[in-house]
Amino acid sequence: MRTLTPCHSSSDCLVSEDMTNSEQTTVLITGGNKGLGFEAARRLGEQGWTIFLGSRDEGRGRAAAAKLTDGGANVVMVPLDVTSDESVKDAVRLVREHTDRLDVLINNAGAPGKVIAPADATVDEIHSVYDTNVYGPIRVTHAFLPLLQAADNPRVVMVSSAVGAFSVVTDPEQTASKMHELAYSSSKAALNMITVRYAQALPEIKFNLVTPGEVANRKFTATDMNNHTGQLTVTEGTDPIIKLAMIDADGPTGIFIDRLGPVAW
């Protein structure tokens, strides 16, 4: 069964959700042991997908995987620290033990940084955030590229943020315009550019970006990263993640959306 579902605010963001042979669909989710990653795993698990649950903390990852398995999902816990080349290589080996292809990669793992004022920010602070938010997705995408290329309709979903959009941080009505820091916002802006360049260079793979919020309504999702101060639930926050994970071969690539529709760069 396929359904054509428009984003709420724009007909330019029509996404076809492919639910055919869903039980054979494989997805790796980084940072999958909690928050948006866990909820995305839960929702895709309900569709019968095979979930490779990436988690830096093996104990928390196993607990999350057990919870999903108890709910009926087919889950393989993958120890995965996106800042470690060796960990990523080990993750590839483990996934290859279970499948010869990867249909979907969701680069969800992220680091908020310490919201240090620009005048006080150091290279060390910037580097630690970039290692997870920028180098991490590159590291994981590069390592899993052969498995993605082996799939019939490979998709990569990058979990970005509204604060990575110039349109948001330069809007005085947006809270992000008053959040004076360098590391997190610039790392997400870099991730946006990286994703667009992947999309242009690798048209056989759908590379897209999401922000787990509602930019137009100035809302964001409550997670550990923001001390659960957001106005949206993790289910609402994962709406665009699920949408882009389920696009078919005619779906878009190189776009940036939230749960309401396209986000201006």
Side-chain angles (χ1 to χ4, degrees):
M1 179 179 70
R2 292 185 179 181
T3 58
L4 193 63
T5 306
C7 294
H8 302 303
S9 66
S10 172
S11 60
D12 293 334
C13 192
L14 288 172
V15 179
S16 179
E17 297 178 357
D18 188 357
M19 298 176 67
T20 306
N21 283 332
S22 60
E23 67 178 5
Q24 298 181 21
T25 305
T26 56
V27 57
L28 170 66
I29 305 174
T30 68
N33 62 285
K34 65 178 182 177
L36 295 165
F38 180 83
E39 181 63 6
R42 184 192 68 79
R43 294 179 68 178
L44 294 173
E46 286 183 345
Q47 298 295 331
W49 290 27
T50 296
I51 311 297
F52 292 102
L53 190 81
S55 177
R56 182 177 60 179
D57 185 301
E58 190 167 345
R60 291 178 181 177
R62 293 197 181 284
K67 186 174 181 179
L68 292 169
T69 299
D70 289 344
N74 181 22
V75 183
V76 177
M77 204 289 286
V78 180
L80 178 54
D81 178 354
V82 303
T83 69
S84 165
D85 289 336
E86 197 58 42
S87 177
V88 173
K89 289 177 183 177
D90 289 343
V92 172
R93 283 193 288 268
L94 178 56
V95 171
R96 281 190 177 278
E97 291 176 6
H98 296 271
T99 183
D100 59 358
R101 74 179 195 282
L102 185 65
D103 296 295
V104 180
L105 168 62
I106 300 176
N107 279 308
N108 166 73
K114 300 175 182 177
V115 194
I116 296 172
D120 300 320
T122 65
V123 169
D124 285 344
E125 159 67 6
I126 302 296
H127 179 76
S128 66
V129 175
Y130 271 54
D131 205 14
T132 299
N133 296 357
V134 181
Y135 312 142
I138 294 173
R139 191 175 280 116
V140 174
T141 300
H142 180 263
F144 280 91
L145 203 55
L147 281 172
L148 286 164
Q149 290 171 324
D152 292 333
N153 175 33
R155 292 89 81 191
V156 177
V157 181
M158 303 284 202
V159 180
S160 185
S161 170
V163 302
F166 286 89
S167 65
V168 173
V169 298
T170 58
D171 180 354
E173 298 300 315
Q174 293 281 355
T175 303
S177 69
K178 304 172 184 65
M179 185 179 75
H180 303 306
E181 59 80 52
L182 292 183
Y184 185 73
S185 55
S186 67
S187 74
K188 292 302 186 179
L191 179 64
N192 291 357
M193 177 60 77
I194 286 163
T195 304
V196 170
R197 300 304 271 173
Y198 273 133
Q200 293 171 332
L202 298 165
E204 70 277 12
I205 302 174
K206 302 293 189 296
F207 284 90
N208 292 302
L209 290 145
V210 305
T211 177
E214 296 178 357
V215 172
N217 296 326
R218 299 189 290 277
K219 293 181 178 180
F220 54 96
T221 300
T223 65
D224 287 353
M225 191 174 290
N226 56 50
N227 296 316
H228 297 274
T229 57
Q231 306 91 339
L232 302 178
T233 67
V234 286
T235 301
E236 291 170 323
T238 55
D239 281 348
I241 298 174
I242 301 303
K243 184 179 290 292
L244 291 179
M246 298 182 75
I247 57 176
D248 66 14
D250 296 323
T253 189
I255 66 169
F256 185 19
I257 67 169
D258 65 9
R259 69 190 301 266
L260 301 180
V263 175
W265 303 103

